[in-house]
Amino acid sequence: MTSKKASKAKFLSEDLNDLLNVSQFLKDSPTKKKVPKRQRTEISEEEGIAKLIGQYQTNSKKKKLEVNVEACKESRQKILNVMSNQLETRKEKCDNLLKNLSEVMTQLEADSNAMKDNEKKLEHLTAAVVKCMQQASTAHKQKLKALKDIYASFKKQCEEMEFDHKTETDKLAEELEDDIRKLQQKLISETKRSGWENLRRTIFHAMQNDF
């Protein structure tokens, strides 16, 4: 690619030099110079030859210039084709990139919306769970309080019942002691009386036997 560019530049520079030479030739041509009338007849043949040579060179330069212009047109068209292909390729790549980015952004937006919905659902669910926990805790506290009240009432009743039973037992023990004491006194009294009766009968029998 570099060699082609160098050859084209060299080719153009040669064309420019040729054009300059032609212009210089035309400038220095005998047709342009003012010569004395006395010399015009002497160099008429030379002027004719020079003119023919100049016309030939001019035609050759024109053909060469046309060839160069055509080559430049072809090169320009090639460059335009390459640039057009590059523009189309870049446009295609940009369109694909923009399409992919749009799809990614759409997906990200959908994911973000889904996450927001899930966040709201989770908040509602969390609030419901917290409410259930609070209700369960309140019910548990109420049950615990009821059990404590039942325990305190039962304990108080047991203590009162134990006190009443102890009082009744002490009273019953005192009554039993009194009854046992009375029974003992009665038995002692009856034993004494029975003994005196037996002793009296024995004495009486003995007295009857002696007499």
Side-chain angles (χ1 to χ4, degrees), residues 85-204:
N85 291 332
Q86 290 178 351
L87 287 173
E88 290 179 359
T89 303
R90 282 199 296 271
K91 185 177 182 302
E92 183 180 357
K93 297 295 183 183
C94 289
D95 291 340
N96 290 333
L97 180 60
L98 291 175
K99 182 180 178 182
N100 293 331
L101 288 174
S102 177
E103 291 177 355
V104 170
M105 287 189 294
T106 303
Q107 186 63 38
L108 288 175
E109 187 175 1
D111 294 341
S112 178
N113 293 330
M115 290 177 67
K116 287 181 180 178
D117 293 338
N118 292 332
E119 183 179 2
K120 290 181 180 179
K121 291 179 182 178
L122 184 61
E123 287 178 355
H124 292 313
L125 181 61
T126 304
V129 171
V130 170
K131 188 176 181 180
C132 290
M133 291 291 291
Q134 290 176 349
Q135 291 177 351
S137 178
T138 302
H140 180 73
K141 288 179 180 178
Q142 291 176 353
K143 291 178 181 179
L144 183 61
K145 184 178 181 299
L147 286 174
K148 286 182 178 180
D149 293 339
I150 292 171
Y151 174 77
S153 176
F154 180 74
K155 184 178 180 181
K156 184 178 180 181
Q157 290 176 4
C158 287
E159 290 175 352
E160 291 176 354
M161 184 174 60
E162 185 178 0
F163 178 76
D164 293 339
H165 289 176
K166 189 174 183 303
T167 302
E168 291 176 357
T169 303
D170 293 339
K171 185 178 179 181
L172 181 61
E174 290 176 358
E175 291 177 356
L176 287 174
E177 287 180 358
D178 291 338
D179 292 340
I180 290 171
R181 192 180 305 110
K182 289 178 181 179
L183 182 59
Q184 285 178 350
Q185 290 176 359
K186 185 178 180 182
L187 289 174
I188 291 170
S189 173
E190 290 179 356
T191 301
K192 286 180 179 180
R193 187 172 61 251
S194 176
W196 282 112
E197 285 289 333
N198 290 330
L199 181 60
R200 188 177 63 79
R201 287 176 184 173
T202 302
I203 295 172
F204 180 74

